[in-house]
Amino acid sequence: MNALSGDSPGLQRRRRMDRAFRVLCTTMAWTSVLILAILLLDIIRNGTQWLDLQFLQSFSSRFAHKAGIYAALVGSVWLVGLTAVMAIPVGVATAVYLEEYSPKNRLSRFIEVNIANLAGVPSIVYGMLGLAIFVRAFGFGHSILAGAATLSLLILPVIIIASREAIRAVPQSLRHGSYALGATQWQTIRAHVLPVATPGIITGVILSLSRAIGETAPLVIVGAATYVAFLPEGPLDNFTALPIQIFNWAARPQPDFHDLAAAGIIVLLAVLFVMNGTAALIRFRTQRNRPW
Amino acid sequence: MVDPRSLATTEEAPSSSTDVELDSPTILEARGIRFAYSAEGPDVLHGISMEIPENRITAIIGPSGCGKSTLLRLFNRMNDFIPGTDLRGEILYRGVNVYGNEVDPVEVRRRIGMVFQKPNPFPKSIAENIAWGPKINGLDSGASLDERVRRSLEQASLLDEVIDRLDAPGTALSGGQQQRLCIARAIAMEPEVILMDEPCSALDPVSTMRIEDLLFELKKQYTIVIVTHNMQQAARVSDYTAFLENGHLIEYGETNQVFTNPRQQRTEEYVTGRFG
Amino acid sequence: MQEIASAPSLETIRAGLRKRRLRDWRESGVGSLLLVCALVSVLTTIGVIAVLSVETFSFFREVSVADFLFGTRWTPLLEPRSFGVLPLLGGTLLIVAGSSLVAIPLGLGSALYLSEYSSARTRNLLKPILEVLAGIPTVVYGYFALTFVTPILQRVLPQTQVFNAASGTIVVGIMILPMVASLCDDAFRAVPSTLRHGGYALGATRREVSLQVVLPSALSGVLASFILAASRAIGETMAVTLAAGATPNLTLNPLESIQTMTAYIVQVSLGDTPQGTIEYKTIFAVGSLLFLITLAMNLLGHRILRRFQEVYE
């Protein structure tokens, strides 16, 4: 007991409230972890019984015990591949333009604001754009190409924003060194800026593609089929995708199909886990190796 | 005035010149303070011992990076917010170790106030800036709280300038006014000690003068410890001066003596501007 | 004399100029190509607005704006047809309000924990977990609502319908929780630590500094995070489609089945709706409303956020 031990009733009450508040905030923060754990456990508990080689190799079926995810898995691979081919060049080029070329004028400012706002447009609205433009106006029909084009537009803002950050992190001194050797702007960008920015760009690209894999609503709108008993052979074929198949199973009333949905979710989450893990690894390794 | 014994000890162990003869009772005392920002890191304070006299202004001077702000922040446990620090030694406030197990840091800071290098008014009104401390600490409420706000502003010689806009945001004031607001905020808690960490370094010369004038007024009621890199300021306002270099207390004594007749070679070089 | 002799011939100068012209041409060509790519995003916006407005205008040739905006019955697929969007809007607002009740307190508490209480190590553990939670596809949340949350609700409150707003509300709340937490955490961390120290130096406890210094200082950033998260909730589709049902229902009872704007668009899209029919046009009218509401909220949210960042930069 001494003058500084703060034993006045007022201070004791405040300390009690402080402790209670700390407990409250801590609990709230860890609630997210708890929710994540419950979610994963629930899915694993329901899904693992259906998860076998047959599930991965079968087409969907009216009978739960015959149904599999083969077409959806292949469809998702097609989708992501085409999306990557379309979205990455355009996204990275936009980022290079905005960071390295764009004059500080109203057009550049407009493009930037526009990208920020596109990032907030609900994904279902992209689906409606895809339906009207790609499916109908361009005549792609309910094809993989229409779906991938729609998803490309959807993830474009994410790729642009991540690539810009990566390009911005390249130190100015590197550019100056290149210019001092008589290199042109494009030579500088190609030989020095882009190689250094690549790990950051790849991380952003992987994260955006993993978002594309999980997107359901835009694909429903552009007309991904819910029952497909064949594998797509070209970009103009009809298709289904993992989240569509999961949605379809989850929407059925029979509990068996719910468990099938859980099995499908395990596959989807496993794909996402691998992608995000790769992105995290790249991020970790470049952060460690970077001299600045 | 100086105890001959202290002369002898300072020659041998300059980091522990505790034997300065003070003309006022000790209120704060550092005892063998060693401090590092991490357990593996180097010590930034190497065994500092000094006594702070009541109702006096004690200045801590020294080149930047010498540890003077670190030492100041140890007095009211502000370094608690940096994780992983390593402190040995004691800080005694009226004989009680402020780092003792029984001690509540909140209580310490209630009694030992602080004014920071950059004015940091809360984004609240001028009146709320001052009333907040007393309110949360339950010192006052209602009309007597309003009176406390006025009194504190008056003591900080800010009242005349803000009397008609107490509801304006504190951040709208000029830099010098903001710093006096922060002083008023500290005064409102009626602390016994006010620690000032280079309070004028972000201010223009006129505002600096006003704050220095204010310090003379305040020392009637409060003990003030001021860290400054401005030697003229230390010479003008303080009663006692401590000179720190590389985490060592090189010299501590009456301000006049430290500046006109320093006992240590390093002090002389520093106060005459040959380094630092 | 020698210098003149060694001067480049006219031919070499011409060759040099040609090379330079080629290089200049390539440089400006690259610039233009990149600009074309950057314009794709502008075209996207123009496309969205054009597509939505063309079909919406054609919808309003058949249905009056007032009937659409203020009508209280939404039965576009059944006779007698009625095109009052209020039930869909009400369903959406019910989801937004409910999910905010979940996400705002939890998100604020988590953010205060992350920025004011947690150690760097805990923080580095929790932040990625929140990112994982944010990265889980919405259809997974829909499944979770339907097979986990709803059965629990039904056990606690037996009058709960199989499809109900409450279940959708809870999972949408979980979905936007990481967004609230992360944006609020950013806002709290933008508050200079000198302000916190000012508070502590006056003898405040951590709770008092958190709630009375940090929170008020970051208020506009916190507000922006609520607006942006609510906008996400409005646009959210699959979870509410699966969990909340397909009953346009102007109700405040969260235990009943409802339909949101997004769920209606999905419902129509799942059937094969021919272009040009009134059903086809309705989804664009509803989509326009959805787009306008989320756009307005995003613009407002980003504007507030920008102002907030300017204060503390």
Side-chain angles (χ1 to χ4, degrees), chain B residues 12-268:
Chain B
E12 292 157 25
S15 281
S16 55
S17 30
T18 48
D19 301 330
V20 185
E21 191 169 294
L22 305 171
D23 65 351
S24 174
T26 301
I27 185 163
L28 264 178
E29 183 184 351
R31 236 185 230 175
I33 288 293
R34 293 180 174 276
F35 182 81
Y37 280 103
S38 66
E40 313 85 55
D43 279 0
V44 293
L45 297 173
H46 305 275
I48 305 265
S49 295
M50 65 184 286
E51 294 178 22
I52 308 284
E54 202 168 350
N55 289 63
R56 296 290 179 270
I57 299 181
T58 304
I60 305 178
I61 61 169
S64 49
C66 69
K68 50 193 191 304
S69 288
T70 307
L71 176 62
L72 191 76
R73 286 166 167 265
L74 286 172
F75 285 127
N76 69 338
R77 296 190 60 165
M78 286 304 283
N79 286 333
D80 286 14
F81 300 107
I82 307 166
T85 56
D86 182 28
L87 169 72
R88 279 151 294 157
E90 292 182 326
I91 300 279
L92 302 179
Y93 167 81
R94 296 196 183 284
V96 179
N97 181 8
V98 303
Y99 289 92
N101 286 334
E102 294 238 310
V103 168
D104 185 346
V106 169
E107 188 67 43
V108 173
R109 297 187 199 110
R110 238 166 107 155
R111 291 165 185 250
I112 307 177
M114 187 168 226
V115 175
F116 297 81
Q117 190 167 356
K118 257 180 72 189
N120 56 351
F122 303 128
K124 301 171 189 276
S125 76
I126 294 171
E128 283 168 340
N129 257 285
I130 296 167
W132 189 70
K135 205 154 63 189
I136 57 163
N137 283 291
L139 300 186
D140 251 334
S141 61
S144 71
L145 183 59
D146 294 343
E147 178 48 36
R148 184 187 285 265
V149 170
R150 287 178 65 92
R151 205 168 56 234
S152 308
L153 282 169
E154 198 166 6
Q155 282 192 320
S157 68
L158 186 61
L159 186 62
D160 297 341
E161 293 158 61
V162 300
I163 182 74
D164 51 348
R165 48 175 175 150
L166 288 176
D167 293 329
T171 44
L173 297 173
S174 75
Q177 288 173 324
Q178 287 190 8
Q179 196 58 304
R180 276 180 282 143
L181 176 64
C182 291
I183 294 174
R185 188 172 76 181
I187 293 171
M189 290 293 297
E190 294 173 6
E192 295 194 65
V193 183
I194 303 176
L195 308 173
M196 297 191 171
D197 188 359
E198 305 208 20
C200 303
S201 66
L203 304 183
D204 60 277
V206 177
S207 306
T208 302
M209 286 290 287
R210 294 207 58 166
I211 294 201
E212 287 182 9
D213 290 345
L214 177 59
L215 293 183
F216 283 113
E217 288 302 310
L218 293 177
K219 94 175 178 187
K220 293 172 194 155
Q221 278 187 41
Y222 306 99
T223 305
I224 294 171
V225 186
I226 178 169
V227 159
T228 175
H229 62 261
N230 178 340
M231 278 175 289
Q232 286 75 24
Q233 184 170 58
R236 277 195 302 266
V237 303
S238 69
D239 303 299
Y240 292 90
T241 296
F243 170 54
L244 253 65
E245 191 188 14
N246 294 329
H248 293 280
L249 180 59
I250 304 295
E251 180 153 1
Y252 181 37
E254 214 197 325
T255 297
N256 201 21
Q257 172 258 312
V258 171
F259 280 92
T260 57
N261 185 22
R263 281 165 290 173
Q264 303 289 335
Q265 180 79 33
R266 293 300 289 164
T267 315
E268 185 174 351

Side-chain angles (χ1 to χ4, degrees), chain C residues 111 123 127 181-191 308:
Chain C
R123 190 187 156 76
K127 287 281 271 190
S182 143
L183 285 174
C184 286
D185 177 46
D186 289 346
F188 293 150
R189 287 164 71 83
V191 174
F308 169 70

Side-chain angles (χ1 to χ4, degrees), chain C residues 25-43:
Chain C
W25 186 82
R26 192 188 64 202
E27 282 294 311
S28 68
V30 167
S32 317
L33 198 66
L34 295 176
L35 175 60
V36 168
C37 288
L39 288 176
V40 169
S41 72
V42 178
L43 280 179

Side-chain angles (χ1 to χ4, degrees), chain C residues 144-204:
Chain C
F144 187 61
L146 201 59
T147 64
F148 190 84
V149 180
T150 299
I152 290 180
L153 284 175
Q154 283 177 320
R155 214 170 305 153
V156 180
L157 302 160
Q159 71 270 39
T160 310
Q161 299 175 359
V162 174
F163 298 104
N164 62 81
S167 178
T169 277
I170 290 170
V171 293
V172 172
I174 296 171
M175 278 180 52
I176 61 172
L177 159 64
M179 189 171 177
V180 175
S182 143
L183 285 174
C184 286
D185 177 46
D186 289 346
F188 293 150
R189 287 164 71 83
V191 174
S193 58
T194 54
L195 280 185
R196 292 184 181 83
H197 291 168
Y200 289 125
L202 291 171

Side-chain angles (χ1 to χ4, degrees), chain C:
Chain C
M1 274 315 208
Q2 262 186 334
E3 277 168 22
I4 292 173
S6 71
S9 73
L10 210 58
E11 201 37 54
T12 16
I13 293 177
R14 279 212 186 108
L17 270 177
R18 260 202 307 278
K19 213 171 141 193
R20 215 170 90 195
R21 221 175 292 138
L22 193 72
R23 198 190 64 202
D24 287 350
W25 186 82
R26 192 188 64 202
E27 282 294 311
S28 68
V30 167
S32 317
L33 198 66
L34 295 176
L35 175 60
V36 168
C37 288
L39 288 176
V40 169
S41 72
V42 178
L43 280 179
T44 309
T45 306
I46 295 173
V48 166
I49 293 170
V51 163
L52 289 178
S53 35
V54 165
E55 300 288 348
T56 304
F57 280 129
S58 121
F59 171 77
F60 281 130
R61 264 200 295 268
E62 296 176 48
V63 177
S64 83
V65 177
D67 283 351
F68 178 68
L69 285 181
F70 305 115
T72 55
R73 269 187 67 238
W74 181 258
T75 52
L77 309 177
L78 307 162
E79 298 291 345
R81 294 181 186 222
S82 175
F83 299 96
V85 81
L86 282 182
L88 295 184
L89 200 59
T92 299
L93 290 183
L94 193 61
I95 294 286
V96 171
S99 60
S100 300
L101 279 181
V102 175
I104 288 180
L106 280 176
L108 263 181
S110 307
L112 278 175
Y113 176 74
L114 285 172
S115 78
E116 307 301 311
Y117 285 95
S118 74
S119 67
R121 264 184 62 199
T122 323
R123 190 187 156 76
N124 289 340
L125 184 69
L126 268 178
K127 287 281 271 190
I129 291 176
L130 281 174
E131 276 175 38
V132 169
L133 209 55
I136 288 180
T138 73
V139 67
V140 177
Y141 283 105
Y143 164 86
F144 187 61
L146 201 59
T147 64
F148 190 84
V149 180
T150 299
I152 290 180
L153 284 175
Q154 283 177 320
R155 214 170 305 153
V156 180
L157 302 160
Q159 71 270 39
T160 310
Q161 299 175 359
V162 174
F163 298 104
N164 62 81
S167 178
T169 277
I170 290 170
V171 293
V172 172
I174 296 171
M175 278 180 52
I176 61 172
L177 159 64
M179 189 171 177
V180 175
S182 143
L183 285 174
C184 286
D185 177 46
D186 289 346
F188 293 150
R189 287 164 71 83
V191 174
S193 58
T194 54
L195 280 185
R196 292 184 181 83
H197 291 168
Y200 289 125
L202 291 171
T205 62
R206 213 171 262 266
R207 185 186 68 96
E208 286 155 352
V209 168
S210 301
L211 291 179
Q212 298 179 38
V213 176
V214 177
L215 184 60
S217 307
L219 202 59
S220 54
V222 169
L223 184 70
S225 84
F226 294 170
I227 294 173
L228 293 174
S231 162
R232 263 291 300 281
I234 290 176
E236 166 38 41
T237 311
M238 297 328 286
V240 291
T241 306
L242 275 170
T247 322
N249 187 356
L250 201 54
T251 177
L252 282 174
N253 181 357
L255 302 181
E256 287 179 20
S257 172
I258 55 150
Q259 187 168 43
T260 63
M261 295 191 281
T262 50
Y264 171 73
I265 297 173
V266 169
Q267 185 197 4
V268 172
S269 303
L270 282 173
D272 203 13
T273 311
Q275 192 177 6
T277 58
I278 187 79
E279 290 95 323
Y280 182 78
K281 288 170 191 162
T282 54
I283 68 170
F284 287 89
V286 173
S288 296
L289 191 60
L290 178 72
F291 176 71
L292 287 178
I293 294 174
T294 53
L295 181 69
M297 290 176 74
N298 289 339
L299 285 173
L300 182 68
H302 283 299
R303 196 196 182 101
I304 296 175
L305 208 55
R306 210 166 40 242
R307 288 248 183 92
F308 169 70
Q309 283 159 351
E310 276 161 14
V311 173
Y312 289 120
E313 75 190 6

Side-chain angles (χ1 to χ4, degrees), chain A residues 99-176:
Chain A
E99 282 302 311
E100 303 283 333
Y101 280 86
S102 73
K104 290 276 157 281
N105 60 18
R106 279 166 71 184
L107 178 65
S108 314
R109 181 86 196 109
F110 174 72
I111 295 177
E112 285 185 32
V113 172
N114 180 54
I115 290 168
N117 283 318
L118 277 179
V121 171
S123 61
I124 196 167
V125 173
Y126 282 97
M128 304 176 76
L129 175 71
L131 175 64
I133 301 290
F134 300 126
V135 176
R136 306 245 198 252
F138 288 6
F140 294 167
H142 304 297
S143 66
I144 299 179
L145 185 60
T150 307
L151 290 183
S152 298
L153 295 184
L154 174 70
I155 65 169
L156 205 51
V158 188
I159 295 185
I160 295 172
I161 291 166
S163 303
R164 287 188 69 180
E165 268 169 31
I167 293 171
R168 210 176 304 148
V170 176
Q172 204 62 34
S173 57
L174 212 61
R175 296 182 181 84
H176 291 166

